Amino acid sequence: MLEPAGRVAMVSGASRGIGRAVAERLACAGYRISAGLRDPRRAPPEWHACRYDAEEAVGAQAWTAATLAEFGRIDVLVNAAGINPMARFLDSDETAFDALMTVNVKAPMRLIRAAWPTLVASGTGRIVNIASLSGKRVRNDNAGYAMAKAALVSLTQAVRREGWEHGIRATAFCPGFVETDMTAHVTKQPRALMSRPEDIAAVIETVVRLPNTASVAELLLNCRHEDML
Ligand code: NAI
């Protein structure tokens, strides 16, 4: 297992939910945290907190540059920021669809691109993209969300291919229902029976600490039984 001491982890969406739990877990393990948030005041003082809005194209470069200025290296990038507005494929208004592709696909791609040289320099760079079981199968009307998460899984595979020889290992993490603000409206699964952000964070800590010779390409994590998942 890789030793966290001295290593730097960038976590987007660290203000709440899964991103928050991951940043807390990695900080506890000894990683130095650079948190990307729309409102940096929401991060605890011991983290390096940067304003990062996934809807702004320049945000990735700015946050990455600020992280490098603070720590001089980046070893781990966790793309947890995400949205799920309803986007049916029969809707003629594509506003929600475009937002989904921008925040859930292009923003992680831009962050990976911006951090790439320093992840290569690390020799053991790690990228975790929080995709979803919705990227593996479609079970509700939100085709736009499923399409965006499937695209994020594809991006992860592309990153694995390009990054392998540089020691970069990427993982598409695909949870089912997780008890966060994003699922506050969900009634088909009791909240007490949803996965917990802390449990996802524990798995992610293990994934990013595994050596280059033990790479997890995709992780499917469910709170209920589905055939094959
Ligand atoms: P959440 O709604 O609690 O957290 C989303 C995070 O993304 C927040 O920190 C929010 O501030 C941030 N965010 C949203 N738009 C942003 C923007 N434009 N710029 C910067 N940050 C932005 O939801 P949750 O559950 O923690 O979601 C985290 C990731 O996990 C998302 O990518 C989501 O799609 C994914 N996911 C969530 C599941 C669930 O059941 N909650 C299941 C599968 C995947």
Side-chain angles (χ1 to χ4, degrees), residues 74 115-126 162-163 165-168:
I74 296 165
W116 192 260
T118 182
L119 288 168
V120 168
S122 164
T124 50
R126 297 288 179 265
E162 195 88 13
E165 65 176 311
H166 304 295
I168 293 176

Side-chain angles (χ1 to χ4, degrees), residues 15-116:
S15 62
R16 62 170 197 247
I18 296 172
R20 181 64 167 225
V22 169
E24 285 173 351
R25 177 87 194 197
L26 294 183
C28 243
Y31 287 86
R32 292 180 288 172
I33 301 298
S34 176
L37 321 89
R38 282 173 294 187
D39 180 1
R41 290 171 303 182
R42 298 189 63 182
E46 60 273 20
W47 298 355
H48 180 243
C50 293
R51 189 185 168 277
Y52 168 70
D53 188 333
E55 300 218 41
E56 296 171 359
V58 294
Q61 273 294 348
W63 177 24
T64 305
T67 306
L68 282 174
E70 177 75 11
F71 297 120
R73 61 187 288 170
I74 296 165
D75 304 281
V76 177
L77 168 62
V78 180
N79 281 305
I83 54 173
N84 75 337
M86 179 56 73
R88 297 175 184 85
F89 68 90
L90 290 175
D91 293 345
S92 53
D93 180 346
E94 295 179 357
T95 310
F97 183 85
D98 290 345
L100 281 161
M101 293 308 283
T102 298
V103 174
N104 292 3
V105 185
K106 288 186 81 175
M109 179 178 71
R110 288 170 175 153
L111 279 169
I112 292 165
R113 196 189 301 138
W116 192 260

